[in-house]
Amino acid sequence: MKCEDSLTKIEAYIHDKMSYRELEDFLEHIKECPDCYDELETYYTITVGMKYLEEERLEAYNIPHMLKEDLRKKERYVRWIHAITGTLFAIGLVLVILFVILILLYLGRIELPILFK
Ligand SMILES: [Zn+2]
């Protein structure tokens, strides 16, 4: 992802309106690009600050720390989706192999070893 693309996605990031793929690319870029991270931090601080003012929440908040927590939470989400899709792919692959073996057995093209008879 280029900086121009990343900057157009900041609002979507803050409002949780990104697809999984967009989020993955965005997080990868933000991790490597201090300029875009600074831009994100500025927008995040303004957005969260305005929201808390509207809600009249007057306690002190460490908004840059909240952003770091949010980024960590979303990175965990991306890793979780990766793990799930990897597992589902592996299960699908095993099912396809079993299906092919059953078809070949049914057609008499292969025989089970004596061990399984
Ligand atoms: Zn950038």
Side-chain angles (χ1 to χ4, degrees), residues 20-113:
Y20 154 71
R21 288 263 176 239
E22 285 175 321
L23 181 61
E24 186 178 27
D25 291 346
F26 182 79
L27 290 173
E28 235 169 66
H29 183 83
I30 287 294
K31 227 193 247 180
E32 306 295 323
C33 180
D35 291 343
C36 288
Y37 184 87
D38 285 348
E39 205 66 27
L40 171 64
E41 191 177 77
T42 302
Y43 277 94
Y44 191 84
T45 302
I46 292 168
T47 305
V48 171
M50 293 295 286
K51 185 177 162 223
Y52 284 9
L53 273 178
E54 283 167 14
E55 294 170 357
E56 296 183 2
R57 291 163 70 169
L58 301 175
E59 314 95 79
Y61 291 98
N62 185 343
I63 295 178
H65 178 75
M66 289 166 66
L67 173 61
K68 285 191 173 82
E69 280 299 310
D70 193 58
L71 285 165
R72 267 194 288 273
K73 187 181 84 185
K74 286 174 178 163
E75 278 172 1
R76 276 197 303 271
Y77 166 74
V78 166
R79 279 199 303 270
W80 184 78
I81 294 286
H82 261 287
I84 293 291
T85 51
T87 304
L88 289 177
F89 179 77
I91 290 171
L93 193 63
V94 167
L95 289 176
V96 166
I97 290 169
L98 284 175
F99 185 71
V100 168
I101 289 171
L102 286 174
I103 293 288
L104 292 174
L105 278 172
Y106 179 76
L107 295 175
R109 301 281 170 121
I110 59 171
E111 282 185 28
L112 284 178

Side-chain angles (χ1 to χ4, degrees), residues 6 8 49 110:
S6 164
T8 63
I110 59 171

